[in-house]
Amino acid sequence: MLCKRIIPCLDVRNGKLTKGIKFEGNVDIGDPVETAKKYYEEGADEIVFYDITASSEKRGIFIDVVERVASEIFIPFSVGGGINSVEDMRAVLVAGAEKVSVNSGAVKNPDIISQGAAAFGSQCIVLGMDVKRVEKSEDIPSGFEVVINGGRKYMGMDAIEWAKTGEALGAGEICLNSIDADGTKDGYDIELTKLVAENVRIPVIASGGAGHPDHMVEAVTEGRATAALIASIVHYGEYTIPDLKKHMSSKGVRTRNTW
């Protein structure tokens, strides 16, 4: 059994670590670089950074933050938000990130996935997906719709079909965020996670809703995710990363203890 990864997610707005619920009501809660260093020292497997307003504000990514993070942590980290071209990807990778996450930019221009995979390898390209539960319809038979621009724009695209398309275009991983569960601490959307994981062959990271270590266990067992993204559960000091790994191990889920 491969080790399941624990991945803290740091949402950044105007250079500050921020957190909201269901993509709304964000409040600033700290410094992203210092927080990343803390999670690295605690044993995080990877870290994800999202510039949450870059796409809606139609601006570039926060390269200065990426460079500062790369000088402080020595585990893989990915960066998303405002990445709309191969040049944007290159800038992030040169600044020190191991992976780039494309979300809104990929929905608008799917070729960016194949272009990035060709330039840097599929292992560098993460397809970020923000998904909302909706009524099932001819266009959205799964009942899960793709939403972009930080949860602001519904696209009329079925999430399962988009995941399959992203894989076919060359994405090496999917980070799957449930908008309905985001920040609620009521647990991941297991139905959504399992549906996507069963329809693609690439790794799927479950995101949105972790409030208890059992939620993470559910995501990587019932949900078939290869990793669990976490935010509020550690940002507010309820649990440490060692706490989470110890609990998961006690439930039979293998995790990495040291690099």
Side-chain angles (χ1 to χ4, degrees):
M1 178 183 174
L2 292 175
C3 289
K4 301 298 186 179
R5 292 170 291 155
I6 306 301
I7 307 177
C9 177
L10 280 66
D11 289 340
V12 180
R13 178 181 64 177
N14 299 324
K16 299 290 186 181
L17 177 63
T18 186
K19 192 71 190 82
I21 298 175
K22 298 184 180 181
F23 285 31
E24 296 179 350
N26 281 74
V27 294
D28 294 341
I29 58 174
D31 179 80
V33 180
E34 289 303 313
T35 304
K37 184 178 180 181
K38 172 188 173 185
Y39 294 153
Y40 157 64
E41 292 172 346
E42 285 187 357
D45 298 298
E46 297 181 23
I47 295 179
V48 169
F49 291 87
Y50 288 127
D51 188 337
I52 63 168
T53 57
S55 291
S56 62
E57 294 174 0
K58 297 181 173 59
R59 58 174 173 78
I61 198 73
F62 47 14
I63 294 298
D64 60 324
V65 174
V66 178
E67 291 173 338
R68 288 167 55 211
V69 168
S71 71
E72 295 286 350
I73 72 172
F74 304 95
I75 54 174
F77 71 95
S78 64
V79 175
I83 295 177
N84 297 298
S85 67
V86 171
E87 288 70 30
D88 291 339
M89 294 179 179
R90 181 176 288 108
V92 167
L93 296 172
V94 168
E98 278 73 24
K99 303 176 186 179
V100 292
S101 180
V102 289
N103 190 326
S104 300
V107 172
K108 297 171 186 175
N109 175 26
D111 288 342
I112 192 178
I113 299 173
S114 53
Q115 291 167 357
F120 310 112
S122 290
Q123 80 285 349
C124 287
I125 311 302
V126 180
L127 176 61
M129 295 175 54
D130 295 328
V131 178
K132 192 89 167 60
R133 282 181 177 264
V134 296
E135 290 291 327
K136 292 183 179 181
S137 64
E138 185 176 343
D139 289 335
I140 309 173
S142 71
F144 292 102
E145 183 173 355
V146 173
V147 186
I148 66 169
N149 291 353
R152 297 171 179 83
K153 187 175 181 180
Y154 289 75
M155 297 307 294
M157 295 168 57
D158 186 85
I160 311 306
E161 291 306 311
W162 176 230
K164 291 159 66 174
T165 298
E167 177 184 31
L169 288 170
E173 190 169 45
I174 291 172
C175 188
L176 180 65
N177 189 54
S178 165
I179 295 175
D180 300 290
D182 180 75
T184 64
K185 299 195 287 187
D186 292 331
Y188 299 91
D189 190 322
I190 300 301
E191 180 186 358
L192 170 62
T193 305
K194 185 177 179 181
L195 261 177
V196 172
E198 289 180 338
N199 277 278
V200 298
R201 292 166 293 177
I202 56 177
V204 174
I205 303 168
S207 173
H212 187 277
D214 281 338
H215 295 153
M216 301 166 70
V217 173
E218 292 167 1
V220 300
T221 54
E222 295 173 45
R224 302 193 180 182
T226 61
L229 206 72
I230 54 175
S232 300
I233 192 173
V234 286
H235 290 347
Y236 297 112
E238 297 166 73
Y239 296 92
T240 65
I241 290 169
D243 291 338
L244 299 174
K245 290 192 171 186
K246 182 178 180 181
H247 182 87
M248 293 176 76
S249 295
S250 75
K251 298 293 185 178
V253 175
R254 187 178 176 188
T255 60
R256 179 195 63 81
N257 293 318
T258 57
W259 274 99

